[in-house]
Amino acid sequence: MAAHSHNHAHAHTHDGIDWSSRLNFLRQADELDAESRRVVARRLVRALPDKPTVLDVGCGAGGMSVALVEALSARGGGTVVLVDAVPELLDAATTAARSAAAYETDTTTATVRVRPVLADLATERPVEIAGPAQLVWASNVVHHLPDQRAAVVGLIEAVAPGGWLALAEGGLSGKFLPFDLGIGEPGLQERLTAARDQWFVRMRENTTGAVRMPGGWNLVLSDAGLVDVTAFSYLIDHPAPPEQAVRDWAVNQLAWFTEVAGDALHPADRRTVKQLLDPQDPAFLGLRDDVFLLIANTVYLGRKP
């Protein structure tokens, strides 16, 4: 989830976001999400056959790629195919996943092959570039594509019969600020989130060829032919007082929220944010002990008959 204008053609994304410039932030988030993702990866690969192929679609900086490599290594190996449209992100994910695979190989005989594929999901079919796979994982990528339902259908095409699609979309918006920061009007987090949601609706409207979703994700999975459609949610929970990594993440997240909120944010709130982002200010977010990180991510699961 991120923002910029439509002039970053080199990144091949349809949402106008310069993702390569957000690499460090994505890495920060991956570090904080790592433990939760390990649990999810183990849960997802448990039902797979021996030495399966797993697709990580929209792999970003590779946080889940690493978790999938570790989970496959622990059960005898396999192949993890990384797919992204942004070369800088794909390179970062490949490096991270391969080092995880090499590390695992030192301690066990299991080998996991890591294969990167540079592709734009809006114009290329995953089954042709990377499939078929026993598990397709796609986290927060489909909502950046013009036709989300068509994108899901394309992902399902890449699933081998009997295999699974795991779609991580939605959940509860992350919180990181106390309700009352001691400066400005209380409830800043809620107003920032509301402004971000407005921006997201505008981003979807301004995406060329955007098609509106017909309903919730579980309905899309069922309508597209998957069976045993269910969902589960997992928490990313770093309570206050935070480690420095959480503070650093919060500073970046606040800066980004403010950027996308733009004029939707009241001038008084913008002044508060300026204080929170100023390293010289006593209220600076990067030094506060009441910052935290709490997110609930939902994963929609369906099996291909």
Side-chain angles (χ1 to χ4, degrees):
M1 308 251 278
H4 270 77
S5 63
H6 256 294
N7 56 1
H8 301 282
H10 69 276
H12 308 299
T13 58
H14 300 266
D15 49 19
I17 295 166
D18 178 10
W19 284 103
S20 58
S21 72
R22 289 184 56 77
L23 178 56
N24 282 339
F25 178 74
L26 292 173
R27 280 186 170 135
Q28 269 183 335
D30 282 348
E31 193 185 316
L32 296 171
D33 299 355
E35 201 38 59
S36 301
R37 285 191 178 149
R38 280 192 191 103
V39 174
V40 173
R42 286 198 294 266
R43 175 175 180 164
L44 292 175
V45 304
R46 204 176 292 147
L48 304 183
D50 286 347
K51 299 203 168 20
T53 296
V54 175
L55 257 60
D56 182 357
V57 177
C59 59
M64 190 61 175
S65 319
V66 167
L68 289 166
V69 164
E70 291 172 355
L72 288 186
S73 291
R75 65 188 296 284
T79 302
V80 178
V81 183
L82 314 182
V83 183
D84 208 283
V86 184
E88 294 88 342
L89 299 190
L90 188 63
D91 289 348
T94 304
T95 302
R98 283 192 174 145
S99 65
Y103 168 75
E104 293 291 341
T105 308
D106 288 343
T107 52
T108 64
T109 52
T111 50
V112 177
R113 235 178 105 235
V114 175
R115 187 160 72 87
V117 177
L118 187 69
D120 176 2
L121 289 184
T123 55
E124 298 172 78
R125 290 169 64 206
V127 67
E128 289 173 359
I129 52 177
Q134 283 71 45
L135 169 67
V136 174
W137 165 266
S139 173
N140 292 317
V141 61
V142 170
H143 68 241
H144 291 282
L145 297 169
D147 188 339
Q148 299 170 93
R149 192 186 177 284
V152 169
V153 169
L155 293 174
I156 290 170
E157 270 190 325
V159 178
W164 294 85
L165 171 64
L167 194 67
E169 288 283 356
L172 295 175
S173 283
K175 293 199 168 191
F176 56 98
L177 301 176
F179 182 74
D180 194 341
L181 288 145
I183 58 166
E185 176 91 12
L188 176 64
Q189 176 89 72
E190 282 67 22
R191 294 191 295 282
L192 282 166
T193 302
R196 192 273 320 266
D197 291 347
Q198 284 177 27
W199 163 80
F200 182 79
V201 171
R202 285 197 305 273
M203 189 254 307
R204 291 285 323 159
E205 286 170 352
N206 294 332
T207 299
T208 309
V211 178
R212 195 168 166 184
M213 279 272 284
W217 293 106
N218 59 320
L219 301 181
V220 171
L221 264 56
S222 298
D223 291 347
L226 294 186
V227 296
D228 302 333
V229 175
T230 55
F232 66 90
S233 297
Y234 66 96
L235 282 185
I236 295 156
D237 185 13
H238 296 271
E243 54 196 285
Q244 190 56 42
V246 173
R247 293 190 191 100
D248 296 342
W249 175 90
V251 168
N252 276 330
Q253 184 73 345
L254 180 60
W256 177 71
F257 263 42
T258 313
E259 183 189 328
V260 298
D263 296 339
L265 213 54
H266 192 278
D269 280 340
R270 283 212 289 275
R271 285 195 295 275
T272 304
V273 167
K274 204 172 170 188
Q275 276 185 266
L276 293 170
L277 293 178
D278 179 1
Q280 306 306 316
D281 196 287
F284 177 51
L285 217 53
L287 294 173
R288 294 180 68 119
D289 278 336
D290 56 0
V291 175
F292 58 93
L293 169 54
L294 181 62
I295 301 175
N297 289 324
T298 299
V299 179
Y300 293 89
L301 268 180
R303 186 171 61 82
K304 189 170 184 174

